[in-house]
Amino acid sequence: MISPNTILIIASVRALGTPLDWPEAKENADHVRQWGIEQLLAIWNRAKGKERDALRWGDEIEYLVVTFDDENRKVRLSLRQAEILKELAEDEVLREQGGCVPDLQVMRNHGETIPVFHPEFGRFMLEATPGKPWGIGFKDLLDVEHNMKWRRTIAKDHMKTDEYPITLTTFPRLGTRDDYITPYFPPSGERLRSQYLPDEIANPHIRFPTLAANIRARRGRKVEINVPIFKDERTPVPFKDPTVDYNLHKWPEDDDVRNGAAKDDSIYMDAMAFGMGSCCLQITFQAKNITEGRKLYDQLSPLGPIMLALTAATPIYKGFLADTDVRWDQISRAVDDRTREELGEAVRILLLLQADISTSDIQQPLKHDRWRVPKSRYASNSTYISQDPRLRKEYMDPDLIVDQDLKQRLLDGGMDDLLATHFAHLFIRDPIVIFAEDLKNLDLTQTDHFENLQSTNWQHMRFKPPPPDKDTGWRVEFRPMEIQITDFDNAAFSIFLVLVTRAILSFDLNFYIPIPLTTANMATAHARDAVLNQKFHFRKDPLPPRSVKANGASGTTTPAYMPSRPPTPTCPVDDEHALMTVDEIINGQQPPNNNNNNSDSGSTNAQGFFPGLIPLVESYLNSVNVDVETRCELARYLDLIRKRASGQLWTGAKWIRHFVRSHAEYEFDSVVSADVNHDLLRAVEEITREEGRSGVGGEMFGVGKGKGKGKGDGAGGVGG
């Protein structure tokens, strides 16, 4: 049997200690920042010359654990994360195959390594990763979908018969006034102080409740999340969230709603768990060295908003249809610890002007904080870090805040200006969770203080130095994608992104645009049906200058010759990018009156039409001579991406919204009732198994009775 202590380790993110409440943590913030910088320099000096032979990568799938009560037509979140992990840990068969929980897993060199399961913020969540990193070989790519299905099967086998692991971004009725969790706990506990969620909804490991409590304490009030309501035919105008209790007087923060925290025409939420209880699909790439890692970080960054819109899957919050399709801003607000001063919020003051008393709004002066901070600590990237001659100063964020003292320490320690700026920007934040035991000694062989700041900067890309005690290289984490309903979808988006990285490195592609445009694109991605109806700033020509073929003809495919040092750009920055649809970015732009869909997919013509990410990927596959069978298998995944971008196949968000609005019990008032939610999640569970073949959810796959009816009406099935 596994001891309780081992189970505690399994459920932990780090060793237990004594966490400091916010006033004491604030006093030690500079201490942790300075020690974190020293640990970063130690990592830098150890690993800056580290080399790897080949790229490796991994994916992270997050599940909601739900329990079905079909007799009463209810679906609840199951708070049995710890019990399920315990069942996995005590499974003798799995242990003989290498184990499938942290600290028990044994890596196998031959055969298939058992997947690994991890705890997450919510007690209703599980995270699963492959048992060992994927290689770049095409065999590994074709194993991804099977491995994802295997993970879900293992998880389900260790749950109760009425429990299911589903991959929805959020539980549609999280925070409603009924019993949406099992076991049930009442809301408004000491840590979250939420009107809607109990403290028990979060992982009990002390780090998580401390994180939530200290974010609230640092901020000086509860987090404030207002999501625009979807205004349907019978939605009240203005919409005032009927779940808000203005008469609650249990905690001082209950005054928030009386002071205007809940906005009109919005779904109001008030706790970290509304954001960190969301699921997503994350991909981490290990580069062969730091130079390649920095290049991938920069070149993938502009793709973040595009992939966010393309994977849209979050149209419901707290039992209401929202007028947005993705989760990002909601999580950003859920962990936003900025004070009123840092936000630059206006305060209303009385002015005495010529004996007339009037009011005016002014920004609060900086008395207690160091800076105005433009973004939440969960936000889009604000830096580029590659030492690429194509990186122009005009691309950088003009509003970037940097701790100059910490930057100077990094420069003095030998780090270059770009990377020092990046980390000195991350370190403007305060460490939120500090354990008293960690303040006794600085251990330069560890990374605890560095990771304290690094891991609580949740940007849409993360640059990850090698850990000190593992055979691991420099890594880049791609974080914006929404989790998809099926393992086929999640495999498709994972494989597509891997192939994009191969095309970037093989063809020396350049996707640089000014950082403020990527920030704007992230906001655009939230719009309902953004994948079809919005345009995004994107670079027009990603290809380097072409060589001339031996016969004198200009190359018609991406050239084999690439200059060792790309020329420094000189044209106006505004001429380098344009507004494009997701379809144009993924599938390419066609010149006017050009109906030839079989034109060379790897080139940009003289008129500057963007070639498209899928054509660039296909050009890469052509260049490496993939066998026909493998190419056909990969085509299934690329076809899903292609048709989601064109609108022939629906996003998850569009399908969910359509399901609700088509339900016989929906009253066109934006309310997603318990009955509708039950049928929706039953449909999601069926789609997970059938992938649209039964007719349910066929609009997302082009199969069964419900086929996509976007711009390409009558589209055939994926891969057809």
Side-chain angles (χ1 to χ4, degrees), residues 147-172:
N147 188 274
M148 289 179 174
K149 291 180 185 295
W150 188 28
R151 289 177 232 172
R152 197 187 298 259
T153 298
I154 292 173
K156 174 60 182 130
D157 287 347
H158 293 81
M159 295 178 184
K160 295 180 178 179
T161 56
D162 59 354
E163 289 178 331
Y164 291 85
I166 63 171
T167 42
L168 282 182
T169 314
T170 61
F171 184 69

Side-chain angles (χ1 to χ4, degrees), residues 416-694:
D416 61 89
D417 187 83
L418 277 171
L419 204 56
T421 298
H422 169 76
F423 285 115
H425 166 64
L426 299 185
F427 273 57
I428 68 170
R429 310 290 178 178
D430 281 337
I432 298 298
V433 180
I434 300 175
F435 289 86
E437 292 79 3
D438 293 341
L439 299 175
K440 296 177 180 178
N441 298 294
L442 171 60
D443 187 346
L444 294 180
T445 68
Q446 299 300 314
T447 61
D448 51 342
H449 299 293
F450 168 69
E451 287 295 343
N452 195 329
L453 276 301
Q454 162 91 343
S455 65
T456 55
N457 273 274
W458 297 281
Q459 298 186 342
H460 84 273
M461 299 289 303
R462 182 177 282 158
F463 186 63
K464 304 173 73 169
D469 58 344
K470 293 182 180 179
D471 184 25
T472 304
W474 294 89
R475 293 150 297 150
V476 173
E477 187 177 44
F478 190 83
R479 301 171 46 80
M481 291 192 291
E482 308 251 287
I483 196 73
Q484 303 295 288
I485 292 175
T486 75
D487 299 306
F488 172 68
D489 294 71
N490 289 312
F493 282 104
S494 302
I495 291 166
F496 172 64
L497 197 65
V498 171
L499 293 175
V500 168
T501 67
R502 295 298 86 199
I504 287 171
L505 296 175
S506 297
F507 299 154
D508 201 24
L509 299 178
N510 176 10
F511 293 123
Y512 277 125
I513 60 172
I515 284 173
L517 297 185
T518 297
T519 302
N521 283 347
M522 287 295 280
T524 300
H526 285 72
R528 179 161 41 92
D529 283 331
V531 69
L532 297 180
N533 301 327
Q534 300 296 319
K535 290 192 174 184
F536 297 79
H537 302 279
F538 211 73
R539 192 175 186 88
K540 291 189 286 190
D541 188 355
L543 295 169
R546 292 164 181 268
S547 60
V548 176
K549 286 192 172 183
N551 61 8
S554 175
T556 57
T557 60
T558 303
Y561 166 76
M562 296 294 172
S564 59
R565 182 178 177 83
T568 301
T570 57
C571 70
V573 170
D574 287 347
D575 292 345
E576 296 177 342
H577 56 82
L579 286 168
M580 304 182 199
T581 64
V582 172
D583 187 21
E584 290 171 328
I585 294 168
I586 297 296
N587 295 318
Q589 296 174 313
Q590 292 294 333
N593 302 319
N594 182 359
N595 296 318
N596 180 12
N597 293 325
N598 296 317
S599 60
D600 170 36
S601 61
S603 63
T604 305
N605 61 30
Q607 286 74 38
F609 293 98
F610 184 72
L613 296 179
I614 284 184
L616 287 167
V617 163
E618 290 175 332
S619 185
Y620 163 71
L621 293 173
N622 289 339
S623 73
V624 293
N625 298 316
V626 182
D627 65 84
V628 173
E629 183 178 355
T630 299
R631 190 67 181 267
C632 289
E633 286 295 310
L634 293 175
R636 295 173 54 241
Y637 301 118
L638 295 180
D639 205 40
L640 178 81
I641 309 299
R642 179 185 291 112
K643 290 178 178 178
R644 289 274 175 92
S646 71
Q648 290 175 272
L649 300 180
W650 293 2
T651 63
K654 184 172 183 176
W655 178 82
I656 291 169
R657 191 184 303 277
H658 174 78
F659 182 95
V660 170
R661 298 191 73 241
S662 301
H663 196 282
E665 296 181 36
Y666 177 65
E667 298 183 3
F668 295 92
D669 55 359
S670 308
V671 175
V672 182
S673 68
D675 283 349
V676 174
N677 185 57
H678 171 270
D679 293 347
L680 171 63
L681 267 65
R682 268 299 180 199
V684 165
E685 193 273 326
E686 181 176 341
I687 292 168
T688 300
R689 289 181 284 105
E690 299 295 333
E691 297 177 347
R693 290 182 293 268
S694 67

